[in-house]
Amino acid sequence: MAKIPVQFTLNGSEKAEFVDGGTTLLNALRDKIGDTSPKGGCHQGTCGACSVIIDGEIRLSCLTLAETCNGADIKTLSGLAEGGVLHPLQRAFLDTFATQCGFCTPGMIMAAKVLLDHTPNPSRDDVVEALSGNICRCTGYEPIIEAVLLAARANSQNAA
Amino acid sequence: MALALQTFATVKDANAALRSTGTRYLGGGTLVVRAANEGDVSVSGLIRSTDPALSAIEIIGDNVRIGASVTMAAITRHPNLGTLTKAARAVGGPAIRNMATVGGNLFAPAPYGDFTVALLALDATVSTDDGEMPIEAFLAGRDGSRAIITSVSFTLPQADGFRFLKVSRVKPKGVSVLSIAAVLLLAPDGTVSSARIALGCMADRPMRAKATEKALLGRTLDQHGIAVALAAATEGIAPITDPIASAWYRTEVLPVHLGRLLLG
Ligand SMILES: Cc1cc2nc3c(=O)[nH]c(=O)nc-3n(C[C@H](O)[C@H](O)[C@H](O)COP(=O)(O)OP(=O)(O)OC[C@H]3O[C@@H](n4cnc5c(N)ncnc54)[C@H](O)[C@@H]3O)c2cc1C
Ligand code: FES
Ligand code: FES
C-alpha cells in the first residue's frame, strides 16, 4: 500500500514523513522521527504515558492516527528544556522525587504543562483532575502532585 | 496491518465510501483506533469527513444542535451548555475528553456512553444526511446502522430541571458503575408533572427507566414521595457485569443512587 505523506511541526521544527496507513502518531514519533519521549504503555488510551500536546490540547498519541495530524503543532517532552535548561516542571519533578522508573513521567509532565498553560495557579484538585488520565505505578501520585504545585509556585514567583 | 483512512469534505461522499465492507467511521478514535491497536481485524478502512458542520454547536433560543464531531471538551467549554457540563465531564480523563466525540459516544457500548445517557433523558433527535430519528429508535437499531450521524438536537432544559450522576470507583476518573440522567418538571404544587429518566450500565446500551418515570408522576421529591419510584427502579433492567461491578451489585446500588439524585 502507498505510503502517506504527513507534515507537522514538532517542538518548533517542521517534520515531513511518509507513514503506512493507520500508523499511530505514537509510532510515527518514536519509530520514524526518533522522538522516543512519548512512551507506549497500553496502546488503549488508559495509561496516558503517550500523552502529547496537539494544537494546545493534551491528547493520546496511541489513539491518534498520524495522518490526521497534517499541519498540526505537536509538542512532546523532548522539546521542553530550552538551551539545556530544564523546564520548571522537569526541575520540580526531580526536586520532589516525582520520578522513579520514569515511564509515566513524559505523559505526566505534558498533561501538567497544559494545565499550567491555562491555569497558572492551580488548586490541588485542579492538578488531580488534570492528571486523572495518567497512571503511575511507582510514586503513589503525591510527589507528582507536589511537583506540579511546586512548578506553579516557581512560575508565579518568576512572573512576580 | 495497513489501515486505510479516507478523508472526505462532504458527509455525502463519506457516506458513499462507508458502504464498502470493513470500513468504519472515525470519530475521535478512542474506541475504533483502540480496537485496531488490540488487533481487531474486522476494521480494514476508516472514513472521516471534515465538513465544518460536524464540529458546530448551534443554539437558537433553547434549541440546541451539536455536531457529531464535537468533543466532550468542547461541550464543557461552551458558555451556554453549562447544564450538560457534568455529563460531558463524566467521559474519561482530559485527553479522552479532547478526543471523544458526541457521535462516537452514541455507539459506545456499556460501561461507556455516559453522555448518551444524558441525551436519552433529554429526548434528543439524532440526525443523518437522510433525516432524523428519535434517540430511542437510534439506540435500538444502532448495531446495524451504517449512516454517518451528523448531529444531535434537543431542547435545553431549565438548569434545575436536569440532573446527572455518574458512579465510578476510581476518582476523579473511572468508568461507570452506573450513570443516571433525569429531566424533571414540577407543577406549582411541587409534584412531578413530567419525568424522563435514563440509565447507563443497566443494559448493553443506555435505557429509559419507564416504570420509575410513571411512578414519580404526581409525587413530591421527598423520601415518602419517591418510595414507589425507587421500588420500581430495577424493573426491566439487565445490567452488565464487568471488572468494575457485577450485575448483582449494579442492581443493588441503582435504587440508592437514584434516590440520591431525586432527592437532589
Ligand atoms: C481510557 C478510556 C476511558 C473512557 N472512559 C469513558 C467514560 O468514562 N465514559 C464514556 O462514555 N466513554 C468512555 N470511553 C469511551 C469513548 O472514549 C467515548 O465513548 C467516546 O465518546 C467515543 O467517541 P469517539 O469519537 O472517540 O469514537 P470512535 O472511536 O471514533 O468511534 C466509535 C464508534 O462509533 C462510530 N462513529 C463515531 N462517530 C460516528 C458518526 N458521526 N457517525 C456514525 N458512526 C460514528 C465509529 O465508526 C465506531 O464504530 C473511554 C475510552 C477510553 C479509551
Ligand atoms: S499508550 Fe497511550 S494511553 Fe497508554
Ligand atoms: S515513575 Fe514509574 S510509573 Fe510513574
Side-chain angles (χ1 to χ4, degrees):
Chain A
M1 194 177 272
K3 301 265 184 192
I4 297 134
V6 191
Q7 272 181 292
F8 48 74
T9 308
L10 178 64
N11 299 322
S13 308
E14 295 297 321
K15 299 285 171 198
E17 279 298 335
F18 286 97
V19 297
D20 289 321
T23 302
T24 61
L25 177 63
L26 175 66
N27 288 344
L29 289 174
R30 291 180 61 86
D31 303 340
K32 283 272 176 186
I33 293 172
D35 181 350
T36 54
S37 64
K39 306 295 175 212
C42 63
H43 301 268
Q44 292 192 10
T46 328
C47 74
C50 66
S51 302
V52 299
I53 301 174
I54 304 181
D55 294 334
E57 287 188 338
I58 196 75
R59 302 232 187 165
L60 301 168
S61 61
C62 72
L63 298 183
T64 303
L65 297 186
E67 300 163 60
T68 62
C69 297
N70 244 327
D73 178 47
I74 301 176
K75 292 192 171 72
T76 66
L77 183 78
S78 60
L80 226 51
E82 276 179 31
V85 179
L86 292 183
H87 184 276
L89 273 166
Q90 292 172 303
R91 187 75 262 156
F93 267 64
L94 288 175
D95 290 346
T96 61
F97 201 56
T99 280
Q100 289 187 34
C101 81
F103 201 79
C104 70
T105 312
M108 288 284 183
I109 291 185
M110 296 321 277
K113 181 172 186 316
V114 175
L115 170 71
L116 297 191
D117 286 348
H118 294 104
T119 314
N121 294 305
S123 66
R124 189 179 187 283
D125 283 352
D126 292 336
V127 176
V128 170
E129 169 63 34
L131 301 181
S132 61
N134 297 69
I135 290 174
C136 176
R137 280 288 168 259
C138 305
T139 65
Y141 299 101
E142 283 304 326
I144 298 178
I145 296 165
E146 184 47 38
V148 180
L149 291 170
L150 179 68
R153 285 197 295 272
N155 266 346
S156 60
Q157 271 160 17
N158 286 346
Chain B
M1 193 184 71
L3 192 62
L5 170 68
Q6 289 175 272
T7 304
F8 297 91
T10 66
V11 171
K12 189 170 175 285
D13 290 343
N15 262 321
L18 201 55
R19 288 201 197 102
S20 327
T21 41
T23 53
R24 296 265 286 277
Y25 190 76
L26 174 70
T30 57
L31 291 172
V32 83
V33 176
R34 183 193 215 190
N37 284 351
E38 277 175 355
D40 179 348
V41 288
S42 69
V43 192
S44 55
L46 292 170
I47 306 290
R48 68 171 178 156
S49 169
T50 48
D51 185 337
L54 292 173
S55 304
I57 297 178
E58 242 178 59
I59 305 179
I60 301 170
D62 55 6
N63 293 320
V64 179
R65 178 175 289 270
I66 304 180
S69 300
V70 170
T71 62
M72 298 298 147
I75 293 171
T76 62
R77 282 194 299 260
H78 198 286
N80 300 333
L81 292 179
T83 328
L84 298 181
T85 304
K86 209 170 169 191
R89 280 178 73 89
V91 177
I96 290 286
R97 289 198 291 276
N98 284 334
M99 303 171 72
T101 67
V102 170
N105 202 260
L106 284 171
F107 288 89
Y112 299 141
D114 293 315
F115 193 74
T116 304
V117 173
L119 290 175
L120 180 57
L122 289 164
D123 200 11
T125 298
V126 175
S127 299
T128 65
D129 247 6
D130 284 337
E132 301 187 331
M133 73 194 111
I135 186 164
E136 262 176 283
F138 164 77
L139 287 171
R142 75 175 178 187
D143 298 346
S145 168
R146 291 293 290 165
I148 297 168
I149 307 302
T150 49
S151 66
V152 293
S153 44
F154 52 88
T155 306
L156 198 62
Q158 313 253 307
D160 54 0
F162 179 74
R163 301 179 187 190
F164 180 87
L165 171 153
K166 167 172 167 170
V167 181
S168 61
R169 292 196 168 158
V170 180
K171 300 283 175 1
K173 186 209 84 152
V175 294
S176 288
V177 170
L178 58 88
S179 52
I180 313 173
V183 178
L184 301 169
L185 289 181
L186 299 183
D189 66 355
T191 57
V192 176
S193 56
S194 137
R196 272 186 71 97
I197 299 179
L199 307 173
C201 296
M202 291 299 147
D204 65 344
R205 65 199 72 197
M207 62 173 282
R208 288 269 299 282
K210 290 195 174 159
T212 306
E213 292 171 356
K214 211 167 137 206
L216 276 176
L217 292 179
R219 303 289 180 144
T220 45
L221 293 179
D222 52 33
Q223 286 287 5
H224 179 70
I226 66 170
V228 182
L230 294 190
T234 54
E235 217 170 278
I237 63 168
I240 57 158
T241 288
D242 65 5
I244 301 295
S246 65
W248 173 83
Y249 180 76
R250 286 186 158 105
T251 307
E252 289 296 309
V253 298
L254 170 62
V256 177
H257 293 290
L258 182 60
R260 287 180 192 161
L261 184 84
L262 293 175
L263 294 175

